[in-house]
Amino acid sequence: MNAPLKSIDTSLNARAHRVAAVSSRHADQVDAEGRFPREAIEAMKAERLLAIQIPTAFGGEGASLSEIADVCSVLGQACASSAMIFAMHQIKVSSLVSHGADASWHQAFMRRIAAEQLLLASATTEAGIGGNLRNSICAIESDGEICRLEKDASVISYGKEADAILVTSRAHKDAAPSDQVMTVFLRNQYSLEQTHVWDTMGMRGTCSDGFLFKAEAPAAQILPHPFAEIAAQSMLAASHLLWSAVWYGIAVDAFARAQAFVRAAARKSPGAPPPSALHLAEVSNQLQMVRSNVVAGLNSYEDALVHPDRLSSMGFAVAMNNVKIASSEMILTIINRTMLICGILGYKNGTPYSLGRHLRDAHSAQLMISNDRILANTSNMLLIHKQDTNLLG
Ligand SMILES: Cc1cc2nc3c(=O)[nH]c(=O)nc-3n(C[C@H](O)[C@H](O)[C@H](O)COP(=O)(O)OP(=O)(O)OC[C@H]3O[C@@H](n4cnc5c(N)ncnc54)[C@H](O)[C@@H]3O)c2cc1C
């Protein structure tokens, strides 16, 4: 008699775990060689994860930001660079879904992303401006049906591997630095001349080299809403929440390694719990705080989606900034503490308790839009905004 065929679990969580299994096998090599995690990205495409956020009407699955954050945290436990690439791609998709759904070019492009599992990258950072997302030096030139753009983009993650790049610029040559648009450029519409090499302490697999970006494309590819609107209503929240989910994933894996270490030590001396067990309990508490912070942020985002006034409010912006600051700082405390628990076996590479990659990757969190910039932005809002202090919304 034939054995019954096992059905494959097609839930997002199961698909994310299958990708995580692939990316975890290559994580150390990706880190050591600073190379693009192609096996993980191929696995994401095979599981059709790249288009999950796109509405079903355009060929996707209409996944919510919370569901996507859950995938980010699963991937973050395996390989932070692959997880961050997935998160950055989804942040770009969120701009299309939220601000391109009424434009025919962008609708067709969403269908292509879903059908071909296209990978999107981002060029917001510019030489001379740094991480000040809401200012550009470069300006897009529109000449009838055609637009042209040249940008000295000091960081474009996986720029060489992407199928399209979403680029910010001033809206025209006389526009103020904050009067910006975002444009989708397809791989065959731009050239990249490398200006910086991404040889970094952590997040080495994101391959975030710098490039002189030059492009020409139909003007219809400019998103039909000002970038100010895109940043405030989708991009900042999506960035802070999905990045935080990736960072939470890194901390979860560090915790799991420390817990395995403490359990092994406890087995060696039954009846006398190892001193590090107390530290593990402390880390469990801190991990729960990061999780609660991210989940509260996601709930607040899902709530704001049905109350659009909230989405553009100062209270919402302050809350999203606070999620980013707290998670980017707390994960460093957590991973540092897990390193103390695992001792030299955590410090060494190539042990089941190694934490060097986690710690190095986690150090990028405070810089990914500098926490100083975010705090400066929050402090300006707090001059006029009353902090939301109600426990239940
Ligand atoms: C893993 C990773 C991947 C990335 N991928 C991309 C990508 O794909 N595309 C992209 O466009 N960018 C990307 N970035 C860039 C990133 O998001 C930031 O924009 C960039 O790292 C900021 O660079 P910076 O620290 O030199 O600049 P700045 O933000 O200018 O900070 C430099 C220094 O100036 C201080 N500072 C400057 N202005 C202020 C202010 N107003 N208030 C307070 N302090 C201030 C900061 O504290 C800091 O000390 C990536 C970064 C990382 C780490």
Side-chain angles (χ1 to χ4, degrees):
M1 204 168 78
N2 288 339
L5 283 176
K6 255 199 187 163
S7 64
I8 294 178
D9 186 347
T10 56
S11 68
L12 275 184
N13 190 270
R15 286 152 69 195
H17 274 100
R18 286 196 289 270
V19 175
V22 174
S23 84
S24 139
R25 278 202 293 280
H26 300 278
D28 284 336
Q29 193 199 31
V30 161
D31 173 56
E33 294 175 8
R35 71 161 174 87
F36 182 68
R38 74 184 61 79
E39 300 85 354
I41 307 303
E42 285 310 314
M44 286 174 203
K45 291 182 179 183
E47 293 288 349
R48 307 201 71 71
L49 288 185
L50 294 188
I52 52 177
Q53 188 180 180
I54 289 176
T56 48
F58 304 130
E61 299 178 36
S64 68
L65 203 70
S66 299
E67 290 172 310
I68 294 162
D70 191 44
V71 174
C72 289
S73 85
V74 170
L75 299 177
Q77 293 169 51
C79 166
S81 289
S82 321
M84 188 49 83
I85 292 173
F86 178 77
M88 291 192 280
H89 162 85
Q90 292 296 345
I91 292 160
K92 294 297 103 186
V93 175
S94 78
S95 297
L96 287 169
V97 171
S98 306
H99 301 280
D102 48 1
S104 59
W105 190 89
H106 299 92
Q107 290 176 353
F109 183 52
M110 282 192 269
R111 286 199 180 89
R112 272 196 67 193
I113 297 171
E116 300 169 38
Q117 294 291 299
L118 301 181
L119 179 65
L120 313 187
S122 165
T124 57
T125 307
E126 185 173 9
I129 290 213
N132 188 359
L133 182 83
R134 287 291 291 104
N135 273 294
S136 289
I137 297 173
C138 67
I140 198 151
E141 265 178 55
S142 289
D143 171 11
E145 304 280 283
I146 295 294
C147 67
R148 290 182 194 88
L149 179 61
E150 221 179 286
K151 179 166 185 165
D152 189 353
S154 33
V155 193
I156 308 182
S157 295
Y158 52 97
K160 287 181 199 155
E161 311 288 341
D163 297 301
I165 306 181
L166 277 70
V167 191
T168 50
S169 65
R170 286 185 295 130
H172 51 85
K173 71 176 175 37
D174 301 318
S178 61
D179 178 5
Q180 295 163 289
V181 289
M182 187 156 74
T183 309
V184 182
F185 289 103
L186 307 175
R187 188 201 271 271
N188 61 357
Q189 296 171 333
Y190 56 78
S191 66
L192 294 172
E193 186 188 315
Q194 191 163 342
T195 51
H196 298 278
V197 175
W198 185 252
D199 180 6
T200 47
M201 173 180 173
M203 286 294 184
R204 294 172 55 77
T206 58
C207 298
S208 312
D209 299 314
F211 299 98
L212 185 59
F213 171 94
K214 288 185 190 169
E216 183 175 301
Q221 294 177 208
I222 303 173
L223 276 146
H225 296 266
F227 181 65
E229 213 176 283
I230 299 173
Q233 296 184 0
S234 67
M235 190 171 150
L236 280 177
S239 303
H240 292 344
L241 293 168
L242 297 187
W243 290 347
S244 292
V246 171
W247 301 330
Y248 170 70
I250 305 174
V252 167
D253 193 57
F255 175 81
R257 289 176 186 221
Q259 187 172 30
F261 181 90
V262 171
R263 284 181 174 170
R267 276 196 299 273
K268 279 188 206 148
S269 53
S276 52
L278 270 185
H279 287 317
L280 188 72
E282 275 176 337
V283 180
S284 152
N285 174 23
Q286 290 163 339
L287 194 65
Q288 183 175 320
M289 281 198 273
V290 176
R291 180 171 177 267
S292 306
N293 183 45
V294 180
V295 170
L298 288 165
N299 289 343
S300 179
Y301 178 77
E302 305 288 358
D303 182 55
L305 280 183
V306 285
H307 301 103
D309 288 353
R310 269 220 62 157
L311 216 48
S312 323
S313 72
M314 277 195 193
F316 181 70
V318 169
M320 292 302 115
N321 284 353
N322 284 339
V323 169
K324 195 270 175 176
I325 296 285
S327 49
S328 62
E329 289 182 353
M330 281 291 283
I331 57 156
L332 281 172
T333 310
I334 290 174
I335 302 169
N336 239 341
R337 190 50 72 92
T338 58
M339 182 87 86
L340 263 179
I341 294 172
C342 297
I344 208 75
L345 288 178
Y347 193 64
K348 276 174 80 171
N349 294 325
T351 84
Y353 311 109
S354 297
L355 290 162
R357 173 164 55 83
H358 300 66
L359 198 54
R360 289 185 288 103
D361 288 341
H363 268 284
S364 66
Q366 298 181 90
L367 313 179
M368 247 181 128
I369 302 192
S370 164
N371 278 7
D372 280 353
R373 274 193 194 277
I374 296 176
L375 286 171
N377 175 261
T378 301
S379 62
N380 280 336
M381 288 190 278
L382 288 176
L383 292 177
I384 42 176
H385 169 72
K386 184 176 173 296
Q387 172 95 9
D388 293 336
T389 50
N390 288 346
L391 195 60
L392 299 178

